[in-house]
């Protein structure tokens, strides 16, 4: 797991499936009764495994987001070059190298001791990730060189055809007083927009290919209900109560679950960014307040991780969650098989 993913794991699955599906309606209250804990906690998330079988039925790896990103960037950059060439401009397809960090699964339980060690170093990774993003060096982009050789009128025409936004002589986007990018007069469908349309036509199917299937909708809703259902389990209530008491003893009263500890640090950092970000999004990271906020984040994260370790939070949370997940997998076994077959048919050829 990468640096950012490891530090953020201290949120500890509290909002693990919030983005899996928007649960528009809940199944009947008696459809998924409170389950007994499994005799042995699975080594991986039952729902992750079930959904992976669906998307992996025809050689599709849903976790390989880095490969998918690079493939899509190559397709769009190649199309942009062709489109720009048709308008009389030279453009070199450019996909910058990135540090590969493939997700490890949305419900992988973190190692408690390792989490505490990371907390002491970087907190939740909130400030660290912002600093790393600001300091990332991509290298010289070939099209910046081509554009710099053009006259001012040629650059304006180049920008109009490429993406329709006004840029300064250093190829930086121009923003208005409200922080919005300035659109060049006469901008129609740009080469970037046409490239994105092309990408949607030619790229491999994604999970959204099944999104209108009633079975898919029902199953994603059932999957999304797991977090809400387990939150009312008395064992989960007891676990959060133990953690909350520990955090209160450490000076944080009123926190109900670990996500709220992360939110304390995140909200403080977000508020500072909103007040101090320049129109182009850059931050004054040498401001002394950054160091203070980072130390506060580390303090909260260490106290959080210490309380999770003392209450064996990760192991107990995972046992409860996986029991609820297994219940969904068992109840909807036929639906999972149906979707696996439907996905395979949709990706054939």
């Amino acid at each position: 797991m990468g640096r950012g993913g490891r530090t953020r794991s201290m949120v500890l699955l509290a909002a693990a499936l919030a983005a899996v599906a928007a649960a528009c309606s809940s199944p009947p209250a008696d459809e998924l009764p409170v389950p007994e804990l499994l005799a042995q906690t699975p080594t991986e998330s039952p729902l992750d495994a079930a959904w992976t079988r669906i998307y992996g039925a025809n050689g599709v790896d849903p976790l390989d987001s880095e490969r998918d990103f690079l493939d899509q960037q190559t397709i769009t950059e190649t199309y942009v070059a062709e489109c720009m060439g048709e308008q009389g401009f030279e453009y070199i397809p450019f996909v910058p190298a990135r540090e590969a960090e493939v997700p490890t699964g949305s419900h992988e339980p973190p190692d408690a001791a390792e989490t505490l060690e990371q907390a002491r170093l970087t907190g939740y990774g909130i400030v660290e990730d912002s600093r790393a993003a600001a300091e990332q060096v991509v290298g010289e982009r070939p099209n910046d060189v081509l554009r710099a050789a053009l006259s001012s009128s040629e650059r304006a025409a180049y920008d109009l055809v490429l993406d329709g936004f006004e840029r300064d002589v250093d190829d930086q986007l121009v923003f208005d007083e409200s922080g919005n990018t300035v659109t060049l007069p006469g901008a129609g469908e740009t080469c970037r927009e046409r490239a994105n349309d092309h990408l949607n036509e030619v790229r491999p199917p994604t999970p959204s290919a099944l999104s209108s299937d009633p079975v898919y909708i029902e199953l994603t809703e059932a999957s999304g209900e797991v977090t809400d259902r387990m939150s009312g389990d008395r064992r989960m209530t007891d676990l959060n109560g133990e953690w909350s008491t520990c955090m209160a003893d450490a000076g944080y009263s009123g926190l109900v679950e670990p996500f709220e500890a992360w939110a304390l640090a995140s909200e403080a950092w977000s508020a500072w960014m909103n007040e101090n970000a320049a129109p182009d999004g850059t931050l004054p990271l040498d401001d002394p307040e950054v160091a203070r906020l980072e130390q506060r984040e580390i303090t909260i994260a260490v106290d959080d991780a210490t309380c999770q370790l003392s209450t064996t939070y990760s192991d107990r949370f995972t046992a409860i969650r996986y029991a609820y997940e297994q219940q969904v997998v068992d109840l909807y076994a036929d639906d999972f098989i149906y979707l696996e077959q439907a996905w395979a048919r949709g990706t054939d050829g």
Side-chain angles (χ1 to χ4, degrees):
M1 185 183 294
R3 177 191 60 213
R6 188 173 284 129
T7 54
R8 283 189 295 272
S9 69
M10 282 179 291
V11 177
L12 217 160
L13 320 177
L17 212 59
V20 170
C24 300
S25 61
S26 302
D30 59 348
E31 187 173 25
L32 291 176
V34 175
E36 293 299 322
L37 293 182
L38 305 176
Q40 182 174 1
T41 303
T43 57
E44 67 174 324
S45 157
L47 276 176
D48 278 356
W51 283 106
T52 297
R53 284 195 300 273
I54 291 174
Y55 299 133
N58 201 37
V60 178
D61 182 358
L63 296 183
D64 198 350
S65 61
E66 182 67 17
R67 182 185 64 189
D68 184 57
F69 170 83
L70 294 176
D71 287 347
Q72 293 185 31
Q73 289 296 299
T74 299
I75 292 171
T76 54
E77 283 291 297
T78 300
Y79 190 92
V80 167
E82 295 174 357
C83 177
M84 293 291 285
E86 293 171 358
Q87 302 297 318
F89 295 102
E90 182 179 2
Y91 184 93
I92 301 173
F94 177 66
V95 180
R98 305 195 316 172
E99 177 185 354
E101 182 176 319
V102 178
T104 56
S106 56
H107 315 127
E108 178 188 358
D111 178 87
E114 185 178 331
T115 295
L116 178 57
E117 180 181 355
Q118 284 297 127
R120 290 176 176 141
L121 295 173
T122 60
Y124 296 106
I126 299 169
V127 176
E128 181 200 32
D129 287 352
S130 295
R131 184 182 292 112
E135 296 175 351
Q136 183 179 18
V137 177
V138 177
E140 189 175 66
R141 297 173 181 269
N143 295 298
D144 293 351
V145 177
L146 294 175
R147 182 181 177 279
L150 301 175
S151 67
S152 58
S153 60
E154 288 173 332
R155 280 198 298 270
Y158 180 97
D159 294 341
L160 180 66
V161 172
L162 178 61
D163 55 21
F165 296 130
E166 183 177 347
R167 298 176 184 272
D168 61 24
V169 292
D170 296 320
D171 197 27
Q172 300 299 309
L173 289 173
V174 176
F175 295 84
D176 61 20
E177 294 180 353
S178 300
N180 300 314
T181 51
V182 175
T183 302
L184 290 167
E189 187 177 32
T190 66
C191 281
R192 289 205 193 279
E193 290 172 335
R194 290 171 61 184
N196 288 331
D197 291 341
H198 173 71
L199 175 65
N200 290 329
E201 295 174 357
V202 302
R203 66 181 172 180
T206 64
S208 62
L210 295 174
S211 61
S212 62
D213 190 307
V215 175
Y216 177 89
I217 294 172
E218 180 182 13
L219 193 48
T220 53
E221 288 181 355
S223 297
E225 286 291 326
V226 167
T227 297
D228 289 338
R229 290 187 171 278
M230 66 176 289
S231 67
D233 190 300
R234 56 176 175 75
R235 293 162 299 198
M236 198 66 240
T237 302
D238 291 344
L239 176 57
N240 280 332
E242 293 176 29
W243 175 87
S244 178
T245 299
C246 178
M247 289 295 283
D249 292 341
Y252 308 90
S253 60
L255 300 184
V256 176
E257 61 181 6
F259 178 78
E260 295 182 2
W262 173 85
L264 277 179
S266 179
E267 290 169 2
W269 178 244
S270 295
W272 181 86
M273 286 197 303
N274 290 337
E275 293 176 1
N276 294 276
D280 64 357
T282 57
L283 296 167
L285 293 172
D286 56 349
D287 189 317
E289 184 66 6
V290 173
R292 190 193 72 79
L293 287 169
E294 185 171 32
Q295 185 55 55
R296 179 175 183 270
E297 175 194 335
I298 289 174
T299 300
I300 296 172
V302 168
D303 290 337
D304 176 13
T306 300
C307 286
Q308 291 192 36
L309 189 60
S310 68
T311 57
T312 61
Y313 197 101
S314 178
D315 291 343
R316 293 163 67 186
F317 180 99
T318 302
I320 296 168
R321 175 166 193 96
Y322 284 6
Y324 276 86
E325 288 192 9
Q326 188 61 53
Q327 196 172 52
V328 173
V329 171
D330 293 341
L331 183 64
Y332 293 92
D334 291 342
D335 289 347
F336 276 111
I337 293 173
Y338 163 80
L339 289 177
E340 182 176 339
Q341 295 171 345
W343 176 259
R345 289 193 300 271
T347 55
D348 281 338

